[in-house]
Amino acid sequence: MLRNLLALCQITQITQRTISTASRRHFENKVVEKQKLFQEDNGIPVHLKGGVADALLYSTTMVLTVGGTAYAIYQLAMASFPKKQD
């Protein structure tokens, strides 16, 4: 039992050492480019300046919001006028 625990400790130390010494990827800093894009005064709302993906997310959100509101109003109307029993 103790031997297994010691072996597990050694394995985790080796794994941790190989993970921490692995070469790190260097990413290009794009913050300055994004700041220029979002601070530019071109008449586009800030929530749509990200491009097609932002426009698609905005449209989907609006459709779901309007559809959900209409459905909620429909359900309230159906609940306020119960069916007559024969």
Side-chain angles (χ1 to χ4, degrees):
M1 174 81 176
L2 184 60
R3 184 180 301 151
N4 292 339
L5 185 60
L6 291 173
L8 181 63
C9 289
Q10 288 177 349
I11 290 172
T12 55
Q13 286 176 353
I14 292 170
T15 306
Q16 186 178 19
R17 194 174 311 131
T18 57
I19 290 173
S20 64
T21 59
S23 64
R24 303 207 186 268
R25 295 181 180 162
H26 296 284
F27 294 103
E28 182 181 345
N29 187 2
K30 298 180 182 179
V31 173
V32 176
E33 296 170 17
K34 292 289 185 181
Q35 284 176 340
K36 287 179 184 176
L37 173 71
F38 283 98
Q39 290 177 355
E40 183 180 346
D41 188 18
N42 55 5
I44 299 174
V46 71
H47 59 273
L48 296 176
K49 285 189 177 184
V52 177
D54 283 350
L56 183 64
L57 284 170
Y58 178 74
S59 300
T60 303
T61 303
M62 290 308 294
V63 166
L64 289 172
T65 302
V66 170
T69 303
Y71 184 70
I73 291 171
Y74 170 76
Q75 288 297 325
L76 284 171
M78 290 296 108
S80 64
F81 299 113
K83 294 182 181 180
K84 294 181 181 178
Q85 294 182 356
D86 291 331

